[in-house]
Amino acid sequence: MSGGSLDYVFYKLDAAIDTIERRATTTLHKAFAAHLRDVSKALHDLEWVYSCDYSDGDEVEAIRKVVNKEMELDAATKQAKIALEQLKNVLCKQEYKHE
């Protein structure tokens, strides 16, 4: 499969970034636009991985520019809590069946 797995959302983001850059009146606006450029690159690379135009891992560098280790740890912790809750539910159902 080639392209489109995320509906080329990075193109829409790029258009918004162009507008922000054109209309930016403060350094905060300009910094935000620069951040969004990094997000757009990460979206592009991830879409290309999903579409098999890039290899697994080719997106990591771009994503690391916008996602720090703390954010990654937070996401992993949330996933682990959900998995633990699901495991508890399954185990409770098993214990209930054996009573």
Side-chain angles (χ1 to χ4, degrees), residues 33 40 78 99:
S40 179
K78 286 177 183 174
E99 289 180 0

Side-chain angles (χ1 to χ4, degrees), residues 6 10 36-48 59-67:
L6 294 175
F10 65 91
L36 290 177
R37 283 272 177 229
D38 290 340
V39 171
S40 179
K41 172 70 171 134
L43 281 167
H44 168 275
D45 290 1
L46 187 59
E47 177 161 355
W48 283 41
E59 78 287 8
V60 171
E61 183 178 338
I63 292 173
R64 288 258 179 249
K65 286 187 83 170
V66 293
V67 174

Side-chain angles (χ1 to χ4, degrees), residues 29-93:
H29 295 177
K30 291 174 185 178
F32 182 59
H35 172 74
L36 290 177
R37 283 272 177 229
D38 290 340
V39 171
S40 179
K41 172 70 171 134
L43 281 167
H44 168 275
D45 290 1
L46 187 59
E47 177 161 355
W48 283 41
V49 167
Y50 287 167
S51 301
C52 299
D53 294 314
Y54 281 179
S55 298
D56 284 341
D58 286 347
E59 78 287 8
V60 171
E61 183 178 338
I63 292 173
R64 288 258 179 249
K65 286 187 83 170
V66 293
V67 174
N68 63 36
K69 289 286 187 181
E70 185 177 329
M71 294 164 73
E72 186 177 9
L73 180 60
D74 185 51
T77 301
K78 286 177 183 174
Q79 283 181 312
K81 286 178 180 178
I82 291 168
L84 179 58
E85 198 58 39
Q86 291 170 338
L87 180 59
K88 286 179 183 177
N89 289 337
V90 169
L91 290 174
C92 286
K93 287 178 184 176

